[in-house]
Amino acid sequence: MKVRSRIILSLLIAIIVFGVYVVFFGLSFGGKSFEPLRALNLGTDLEGGASIVFKLTPEEDENGEEIERDAAEVTASIEQIISVMQERLEVKRLWLSAITRQGEDGIRVDIPLNDTSPMQDATQIAEFLEQTADLTMEDVDGNVLMERSDIDSLEAIEGTLGEYIMYIITTEESKGKLEAETTEILEKGSSDRYLIINLDGEEIAKIYVTQVITNGICGFNSDYTEYEATNLADLVNSGKLSAEIKTAEESDTGAVLGASAKRLFLVASAAAVILFVLLLAVFYRWPGILGGVSVLFYVAASLFSVSLMRVQMMAWSIAALLFGLVFTSLSLMHIYEKCKEEFGKGKNLRAAFKSGYSAANKIISEIFVVCFLLFVILIMSNVAAIKSFSYCLGIGIVLSYLTTMVINRLFLRLLLDIESARTGVYFPANTGKGDKQ
C-alpha cells in the first residue's frame, strides 16, 4: 500500500511540475512548438495595439453631389460591414478586437496586438479591412460573367516549386453558368479566350481558357508571397462589404498603463506565488509542501485556461486570477488549521484530516458560491473590461476549488497512506495530545 501510494504521489507531483514547466517555458518537438504563454492575449492597457476609424464613402450623383442616404439603409450597411470585419479579424486570429459603430456613418476598431499577432500596425490592418473584396470574372470586352455571389471561395495552394496557385471555386448553382460562359469564350478567336479576374474593379489575373470548365474550379498562377496569397484568400472568403468605406483615422497605441505596469504585475504575481508556497511549506510541514505544489498547479492551469479560451488579459483580469491565487492559498491554510485543531482535540491523523476538511469545506464552499454568482452576473455585461474580468474570475474560482478540494485532498490521502503514524511529518509535537483514537 505504501509503495503504491508513494509511486502515485511521485507521478502526480512529476506531472504537475512538468506541466508548470511546459506552460512557462514551452515545449518543442520536431519543427513544432507548444508555447501556451505566447498565446496569451494582453489587452491594450498592458500591450497596446491599433485603433482605426472608418467612414462610409458618400454616394454621389452624376453631378458629383452627395446623395443623402436613408438612415435604415446606413444602419443595415454598417451592421453588415461590422459582421464581415469580425470575420476577417477572426480569420487573422485577432479574436479580441472590439468593433463598434461611431456616429451616424462611422465604425471604430480597437485591436490589441503583441509580438505573435499576424498583423503588426494600424496601416496594414486598415488596408485589409477597408477593401470591399468584390471578386468578379469578366471577358475581354468587360462584360461581367461571374459576380461575387457566384463564387463560393478562393483557395491558395502552394505549388511544387514554392509558387502559389489561386483557385476560384464557384457555388454549386453557378457551375453551369461558368461552363456556359467558358463554352462561349472558346467559340471566339484565340485572342479573346481570356477570363479577367478583378478585385474591387482592378485586374489581378488573366486566365487563358483552353477547355470548357465543368467542375466550377479555375485557377491561376501568381507571383504572390505566402502572406499575400493567404491574405487575398482570407479577404475574399470573409465576405464582401455591402458599401465602400475609407479610413478616417488610424493610430498605433502604446500600452495605456505603460510597460512598467506590465512588469509590476508580473513581479507582483511571481512574488505572491513564491510567498504563499514558502508560507505553506514553513508553517505546515509536508502537507504545506504538497499545498505549494497545489498552488503551482493552480497557477499553471489558470494561465493555460485563459490562453486556451483566448480571454483578453487586461489589468483587472490579472487581478481576478490573483484573487483566485489568494483564495486558493488561504483556503489551504484554513484547511490545515482546521486539521491541526481537530488533531489537538485528540483525534488520530486520518480522523483529524477528515474532520478538518469537512469543517473548512463549509466556509470555502460558501465563498465559492458567492463568487460564482458574481461571475454569472458580470458575464452578462457587454463591456469588454468587465467581461474579461468575469471570465478570469470564473476560471480562477473554479480552478481554486478544484485545487483545494480535489487535488490537494488527494495529495493528503496519499501522504497519510505513506506516513500514517509519524505525527511530526504533519504537526509540531506540542500540537495536540498525540495520535489517540
Side-chain angles (χ1 to χ4, degrees):
M1 186 68 175
K2 286 186 177 182
V3 174
R4 177 174 172 273
S5 297
R6 187 175 284 113
I7 292 173
I8 294 174
L9 181 59
S10 300
L11 283 174
L12 287 175
I13 293 174
I15 290 170
I16 290 175
V17 171
F18 177 72
V20 171
Y21 175 85
V22 170
V23 168
F24 281 93
F25 301 102
L27 185 66
S28 298
F29 40 92
K32 298 182 179 180
S33 62
F34 178 67
E35 300 174 278
L37 283 189
R38 287 181 65 83
L40 282 178
N41 293 287
L42 298 181
T44 53
D45 57 343
L46 295 173
E47 192 72 81
S51 181
I52 310 164
V53 176
F54 299 96
K55 293 284 187 179
L56 290 180
T57 302
E59 292 183 356
E60 298 179 349
D61 58 21
E62 55 186 14
N63 298 321
E65 296 183 1
E66 185 176 334
I67 301 173
E68 186 176 349
R69 299 188 184 188
D70 179 71
E73 291 180 1
V74 171
T75 298
S77 293
I78 288 180
E79 289 178 352
Q80 190 272 346
I81 291 170
I82 289 176
S83 177
V84 173
M85 282 184 171
Q86 288 174 333
E87 179 69 23
R88 290 181 183 180
L89 293 174
E90 286 178 5
V91 168
K92 290 300 184 184
R93 305 193 309 279
L94 297 171
W95 297 290
L96 301 172
S97 307
I99 309 177
T100 54
R101 181 173 182 174
Q102 182 166 297
E104 293 183 1
D105 61 349
I107 298 171
R108 182 181 182 88
V109 182
D110 294 300
I111 307 169
L113 301 174
N114 55 39
D115 294 339
T116 64
S117 300
M119 292 182 164
Q120 291 292 323
D121 61 72
T123 300
Q124 187 182 35
I125 296 170
E127 290 175 352
F128 177 68
L129 291 178
E130 72 178 6
Q131 296 183 69
T132 310
D134 186 14
L135 189 71
T136 59
M137 295 186 197
E138 298 180 358
D139 60 17
V140 293
D141 297 323
N143 300 312
V144 177
L145 307 179
M146 304 287 288
E147 298 180 343
R148 177 63 187 88
S149 57
D150 297 314
I151 298 168
D152 180 65
S153 63
L154 180 66
E155 306 295 335
I157 306 296
E158 186 177 5
T160 55
L161 300 178
E163 79 285 8
Y164 279 85
I165 303 172
M166 309 301 297
Y167 286 97
I168 300 173
I169 303 172
T170 68
T171 62
E172 283 293 325
E173 297 77 11
S174 298
K175 282 185 180 180
K177 186 177 179 181
L178 182 59
E179 181 178 353
E181 297 292 357
T182 52
T183 299
E184 186 174 336
I185 287 175
L186 285 170
E187 292 174 354
K188 299 179 179 180
S190 60
S191 60
D192 296 328
R193 290 185 179 182
Y194 287 98
L195 274 175
I196 311 300
I197 312 301
N198 292 330
L199 180 68
D200 292 342
E202 294 186 9
E203 181 181 318
I204 61 171
K206 183 182 288 187
I207 302 174
Y208 185 71
V209 180
T210 59
Q211 61 184 10
V212 176
I213 300 175
T214 58
N215 62 357
I217 301 175
C218 58
F220 59 91
N221 293 324
S222 70
D223 56 358
Y224 295 141
T225 63
E226 180 181 6
Y227 176 81
E228 291 170 336
T230 55
N231 215 43
L232 178 58
D234 290 342
L235 183 69
V236 172
N237 296 334
S238 298
K240 171 189 170 184
L241 299 186
S242 60
E244 292 186 4
I245 57 173
K246 291 296 180 183
T247 302
E249 300 174 23
E250 63 177 58
S251 62
D252 294 306
T253 57
V256 175
L257 298 180
S260 58
K262 186 165 73 170
R263 287 194 297 270
L264 177 62
F265 273 114
L266 291 174
V267 171
S269 301
V273 172
I274 294 170
L275 175 64
F276 284 124
V277 169
L278 289 177
L279 285 175
L280 287 166
V282 169
F283 288 102
Y284 301 103
R285 304 196 174 188
W286 273 102
I289 293 174
L290 294 178
V293 176
S294 300
V295 168
L296 293 178
F297 166 82
Y298 166 82
V299 172
S302 59
L303 290 176
F304 179 74
S305 296
V306 295
S307 64
L308 183 66
M309 296 174 64
R310 304 168 188 165
V311 178
Q312 187 175 32
M313 294 295 292
M314 306 178 81
W316 282 106
S317 312
I318 297 176
L321 293 181
L322 285 175
F323 169 78
L325 171 66
V326 174
F327 183 41
T328 301
S329 303
L330 293 182
S331 295
L332 290 171
M333 292 179 181
H334 181 64
I335 288 168
Y336 294 152
E337 285 297 326
K338 284 294 182 182
C339 293
K340 186 188 293 187
E341 183 181 313
E342 294 297 316
F343 181 70
K345 294 178 181 178
K347 295 181 178 179
N348 62 32
L349 285 172
R350 289 187 183 278
F353 275 96
K354 184 177 180 180
S355 300
Y357 248 98
S358 297
N361 181 54
K362 184 177 183 297
I363 187 170
I364 292 173
S365 296
E366 288 174 351
I367 295 174
F368 171 80
V369 170
V370 171
C371 291
F372 191 81
L373 289 175
L374 178 62
F375 157 73
V376 172
I377 294 170
L378 293 177
I379 204 66
M380 300 177 191
S381 171
N382 288 322
V383 180
I386 296 178
K387 288 194 76 169
S388 174
F389 170 80
S390 60
Y391 277 123
C392 288
L393 177 64
I395 291 170
I397 60 174
V398 168
L399 286 176
S400 177
Y401 195 81
L402 173 67
T403 299
T404 54
M405 292 301 168
V406 179
I407 302 297
N408 191 70
R409 193 166 193 170
L410 176 60
F411 280 166
L412 290 180
R413 284 179 178 174
L414 293 170
L415 182 62
L416 284 167
D417 288 340
I418 298 168
E419 291 291 350
S420 58
R422 291 172 54 195
T423 57
V425 169
Y426 305 90
F427 308 116
N430 61 353
T431 296
K433 303 174 183 178
D435 194 20
K436 297 180 181 180
Q437 296 295 326

